Amino acid sequence: MASPFHLLEETLLFSEVLAGTIAIIKFKKFKDTHWKWFLYYLVFIASSELICKFVLCYFKDFRAYYYALFVIPLEFLIFYWLYSYKSLNKQKLFWFSCFICFISLFPFFSFGGKDLVNSFNYLIGTFLLTIMILLEYDKQIKSDDILRFKENMMFYINIGTGLFYVGTLPLYAFSSLITKDYSILYNYSIYFYLSDILMYILFSIALLWGKPNT
């Protein structure tokens, strides 16, 4: 009988591939807007997950470094660009966040620990992204965008990233404490997968219902 985590892993992969597939199908809708880069990102994530599952599974050390030094930093840079540079129109926040995110990779070059890089980089990256998510909520509440939420791309993206990145921030911030309690770690791990799955479902909904100019 398959474990809950195995089923969640497979469902997560399906949700990522689904979002990437919808991005390809809907590319014409967004090809003349800045959203096309977000679509490229979704296709990249889906492709990377498939490669990691079926190819890099035989090269586990390389796969770990691939995630720590490339995939995770790229995820943050894409969201920083989408939030601060495009939606919030705060270019200085974008460049500052990129710089801090890059600096947070320093432990790898100093100590060579991929686990340390994953934890520290994710913690710093998520903290910066949380600030942008809160600013985006403030922007939407104070404008008429909230009235057109069904067509608002950032409405779905903001909910998805908030549930996953902000929701899992304590898992990395207090990992030393959480890992000591199996029940807390188990429940938080379930939340980790469910929120990640929901995030990609919301990304798919954004591509299906959203309008590029909103």
Side-chain angles (χ1 to χ4, degrees):
M1 184 176 181
S3 69
F5 291 108
H6 177 73
L7 293 175
L8 288 170
E9 287 176 0
E10 295 299 320
T11 304
L12 175 57
L13 177 61
F14 175 80
S15 67
E16 291 168 333
V17 172
L18 176 64
T21 302
I22 293 176
I24 294 174
I25 294 173
K26 292 293 182 179
F27 182 77
K28 185 177 180 180
K29 177 181 177 181
F30 300 96
K31 67 182 182 67
D32 295 323
T33 72
H34 70 273
W35 285 103
K36 66 183 179 182
W37 299 106
F38 183 65
L39 271 64
Y40 289 146
Y41 163 76
L42 292 178
V43 174
F44 165 76
I45 290 296
S47 301
S48 290
E49 292 297 335
L50 289 172
I51 291 173
C52 286
K53 180 175 177 61
F54 296 107
V55 180
L56 295 186
C57 59
Y58 301 105
F59 309 94
K60 293 185 178 180
D61 286 340
F62 176 80
R63 182 176 64 179
Y65 287 117
Y66 174 69
Y67 271 104
L69 297 178
F70 185 61
V71 176
I72 293 176
L74 179 63
E75 288 179 348
F76 285 123
L77 293 182
I78 286 293
F79 285 117
Y80 293 166
W81 169 78
L82 189 61
Y83 273 90
S84 59
Y85 203 93
K86 287 298 182 179
S87 183
L88 298 171
N89 195 29
K90 295 181 181 293
Q91 285 77 16
K92 290 183 179 179
L93 177 60
F94 168 73
W95 291 113
F96 172 78
S97 299
C98 289
F99 175 75
I100 297 299
C101 190
F102 173 76
I103 293 299
S104 69
L105 293 173
F106 181 74
F108 170 78
F109 300 102
S110 299
F111 309 109
K114 58 182 180 296
D115 293 332
L116 177 61
V117 172
N118 263 322
S119 180
F120 186 67
N121 178 252
Y122 190 92
L123 179 61
I124 296 299
T126 301
F127 176 76
L128 293 169
L129 183 57
T130 298
I131 295 174
M132 299 177 196
I133 290 171
L134 294 176
L135 289 173
E136 179 64 27
Y137 273 123
D138 183 66
K139 172 193 170 185
Q140 292 188 20
I141 292 172
K142 292 181 179 179
S143 69
D144 294 334
D145 291 343
I146 195 66
L147 300 176
R148 302 187 302 272
F149 69 91
K150 184 176 180 179
E151 302 173 351
N152 188 345
M153 299 281 293
M154 287 303 297
F155 174 80
Y156 301 102
I157 291 173
N158 209 37
I159 293 177
T161 54
L163 287 172
F164 177 67
Y165 287 100
V166 180
T168 58
L169 181 59
L171 181 62
Y172 286 83
F174 306 105
S175 59
S176 59
L177 296 175
I178 292 176
T179 53
K180 293 179 180 179
D181 191 313
Y182 176 77
S183 62
I184 296 177
L185 178 61
Y186 179 85
N187 291 325
Y188 226 129
S189 298
I190 294 293
Y191 175 82
F192 180 92
Y193 280 109
L194 290 177
S195 60
D196 204 2
I197 291 167
L198 183 57
M199 181 176 70
Y200 282 99
I201 291 175
L202 287 167
F203 289 170
S204 297
I205 293 174
L207 300 183
L208 293 171
W209 292 354
K211 291 186 177 180
N213 60 344
T214 57

